[in-house]
Amino acid sequence: MSQKRKGSISIITRHITARGVVFFEVADNGIGMTRDQMEKIFDLFFTTRRQDGGTGLGLSISHGLVKEHRGVIGVLSRPEQGSRFTVFFPVEKGGKPGLQPNLLIIDDDVSVLKMLNSRYINLDKRFVQTLEEPESVLAYLKGHPEIDLVLSDILMPGMDGWQLLREIRGAFPLMPVILYSGSPEALENPFDDNEARFPDSKTL
């Protein structure tokens, strides 16, 4: 956490029936990490806080404990935005959580949603959710913390994709978002604020 401003830490726990797992997430709004740092954070004795007494043992031990219990731990981080650690444990004895990403797809055209869901998203149906109204996305994300990625059309009535991206960035700064459109003109970001940059992520 930054020494220059107040920080916040959130903890979410849930039983995700569709995945057959129990889930918990710990997130902060701290200084975040670069991709190079994330490649090493579970290595024994690696630390970015050596000068503050860091030993590089905490995450390495945590990673080992999660693996021993047949779990999966992942990290999503963005410099100056914070980090989010997510852990999944199987409910069934001897089970193991799948590594498939959980997608939320937004498009006002139901036929497009069906096409993406059936033809191009090669995932188990349990891991793909669809919405027709962009205005309901924030509430949906708050109620479904297991969502890993948002895929959204740009040209929609009411709130368009770029406006939706701003809303998601404000409430969920670490959430990766991909925008698409059949119109080349719509793909140009109308906001000069770098909000289309995606956070780095890694899953182990």
Side-chain angles (χ1 to χ4, degrees), residues 21-200:
V21 298
V22 288
F23 153 102
F24 73 87
E25 168 190 296
V26 181
D28 66 36
N29 64 345
I31 60 175
M33 291 178 283
T34 65
R35 179 173 291 276
D36 288 341
Q37 289 173 330
M38 282 195 293
E39 292 293 332
K40 302 174 183 177
I41 58 172
F42 295 113
D43 293 350
L44 189 62
F45 302 125
F46 174 78
T47 179
T48 59
R49 300 186 301 108
R50 188 78 63 188
Q51 68 279 8
D52 298 322
T55 62
L57 293 174
L59 286 176
S60 177
I61 292 173
S62 298
H63 180 257
L65 289 171
V66 170
K67 289 295 185 182
E68 284 182 18
H69 289 82
R70 304 181 68 83
V72 175
I73 182 171
V75 58
L76 182 65
S77 189
R78 190 180 188 189
E80 304 306 321
Q81 293 293 329
S83 301
R84 184 181 77 189
F85 286 84
T86 307
V87 177
F88 297 90
F89 288 116
V91 174
E92 295 294 332
K93 185 177 181 180
K96 187 175 182 180
L99 292 177
Q100 295 159 302
N102 206 322
L103 273 65
L104 174 63
I105 307 174
I106 303 102
D107 199 305
D108 63 302
D109 190 331
V110 177
S111 64
V112 173
L113 288 176
K114 291 181 178 178
M115 177 188 67
L116 288 171
N117 204 349
S118 63
R119 292 182 57 189
Y120 296 106
I121 306 299
N122 187 25
L123 294 170
D124 189 306
K125 293 296 185 292
R126 294 174 300 170
F127 304 109
V128 181
Q129 288 80 43
T130 57
L131 290 177
E132 299 173 34
E133 299 178 356
E135 292 80 6
S136 62
V137 170
L138 293 187
Y140 189 91
L141 291 176
K142 289 179 181 178
H144 296 78
E146 70 273 15
I147 295 296
D148 299 305
L149 172 69
V150 175
L151 181 65
S152 175
D153 185 19
I154 295 177
L155 297 177
M156 295 182 289
M159 184 185 297
D160 67 20
W162 290 109
Q163 293 172 315
L164 176 61
L165 176 62
R166 287 171 63 92
E167 294 291 326
I168 293 175
R169 282 286 179 264
F172 305 94
L174 297 177
M175 177 65 68
V177 179
I178 295 176
L179 301 179
Y180 65 87
S181 178
S183 172
E185 294 80 10
L187 296 174
E188 185 174 347
N189 185 356
F191 305 111
D192 186 21
D193 54 11
N194 293 321
E195 284 185 291
R197 293 175 58 193
F198 302 147
D200 292 325

